[in-house]
Amino acid sequence: MAQVSFSPPFTQPADVASQLRHSGFAVLSPAAVAEWVGCDLSALMALNTDWAALPPDEFLKDGGRYRRRRHACFVLQQGQMQQVPHRAHWQPVEYNALHGGMERWFAPMEPATVAQPVWQQLLAALAGVSDAVFAGPQAPVPWFVEAHQFRIDTTDGIGRPTPEGAHRDGVDLVAVFLVGREGVKGGETRVFEANGPAGQRFTLTEPWSLLLLDDARMIHESTPIQPLKDGGYRDTLVVTCRRGNFQGADVVGQAPSGA
């Protein structure tokens, strides 16, 4: 059976906030992402090599070996970025039935990555649209930002970008950047209204294309990937913005020794 692939419904950079308010999600092409962030696309592409050396995710409860990742946390306000001490990623079971309720201590992002000027530009753009869409007259507010670098590979045949299934993340804004994909099929993006029947499906294929989601309104998932050749993988950067505090701030303690 032939694989059917639908093109993303791209939005212009100037329309990102209005599209998020109207539809609950927005999709940008790589060129539009660069324009929106205020950088050259080559600066974003220069980050791609970081994904080649991500360590394994040791917390997969389905027994899989297909996911590698790094994680870091920041506070953003008025375009200023402050990285916070390394902390666990935590979600309640209401948002992640597979891995909720666990303190997951992932390897931290590399300091050289975080130090790149384009990294701060990228986070500032996400905080800015979060102010515009979610903060209202209170803007600007502090945004508690978690960043996740993922590589999903097909070493064991199938890789699952969202092993927890269709879900919400318990934040305000979710940003999913497709960093790259090589030698795989599948990985279709699906977004659905949380309280309605409407939804869309499409496949992100171009490096540094972007899906933005109003997490309260939309459920999302990515379908499994399968290899077209040995060594196939799909790389993404997922960044979430949340008001008030980090999710699990009253649960997660300090980093254990050696973390």
Side-chain angles (χ1 to χ4, degrees):
M1 181 177 178
Q3 182 180 355
V4 178
S5 179
F6 295 98
S7 299
F10 288 130
T11 297
Q12 294 300 311
D15 299 330
V16 170
S18 60
Q19 176 68 14
L20 271 170
R21 293 190 196 100
H22 179 264
S23 299
F25 74 99
V27 190
L28 280 75
S29 70
V33 170
E35 180 181 340
W36 182 65
V37 170
C39 67
D40 290 334
L41 182 56
S42 60
L44 292 168
M45 296 290 289
L47 298 176
N48 288 26
T49 55
D50 294 351
W51 272 256
L54 298 181
D57 181 341
E58 304 287 356
F59 292 91
L60 282 170
K61 292 180 70 175
D62 65 0
R65 301 181 298 169
Y66 51 82
R67 186 157 76 180
R68 296 174 174 272
R69 71 193 293 177
R70 289 186 183 273
H71 172 239
C73 296
F74 308 85
V75 176
L76 269 289
Q77 188 171 18
Q78 294 183 297
Q80 298 300 307
M81 180 187 84
Q82 178 185 359
Q83 187 171 7
V84 303
H86 193 52
R87 65 191 306 279
H89 178 54
W90 188 90
Q91 295 174 291
V93 293
E94 290 81 4
Y95 289 110
N96 190 326
L98 185 61
H99 297 115
M102 300 171 60
E103 289 192 18
R104 290 184 284 168
W105 290 97
F106 301 118
M109 288 182 63
E110 295 285 4
T113 305
V114 175
Q116 294 294 320
V118 72
W119 181 254
Q120 182 162 346
Q121 289 177 277
L122 185 153
L123 294 192
L126 294 173
V129 76
S130 296
D131 275 335
V133 175
F134 304 108
Q138 298 177 340
V141 303
W143 290 102
F144 295 84
V145 175
E146 294 197 52
H148 305 261
Q149 295 171 292
F150 290 100
R151 170 163 286 189
I152 307 299
D153 66 39
T154 55
T155 301
D156 293 332
I158 293 179
R160 295 178 173 85
T162 52
E164 64 272 40
H167 65 284
R168 291 162 53 211
D169 287 343
V171 297
D172 290 288
L173 181 76
V174 178
V176 183
F177 297 86
L178 178 77
V179 174
R181 53 183 288 155
E182 179 68 30
V184 297
K185 61 181 179 179
E188 180 181 77
T189 296
R190 297 178 178 178
V191 294
F192 313 90
E193 290 179 345
N195 297 305
Q200 287 203 38
R201 47 189 288 216
F202 50 87
T203 304
L204 298 176
T205 59
E206 299 179 76
W208 290 98
S209 48
L210 168 63
L211 167 67
L212 293 168
L213 292 159
D214 179 338
D215 187 60
R217 293 173 57 189
M218 307 302 293
I219 295 171
H220 65 281
E221 67 175 336
S222 297
T223 62
I225 58 173
Q226 295 176 279
L228 291 174
K229 62 182 181 180
D230 290 344
Y233 62 85
R234 180 178 184 266
D235 290 346
T236 55
L237 169 66
V238 177
V239 183
T240 62
C241 298
R242 188 174 191 266
R243 285 169 289 182
N245 216 325
F246 292 108
Q247 199 161 210
D250 57 341
V251 175
V252 174
Q254 296 297 310
S257 177

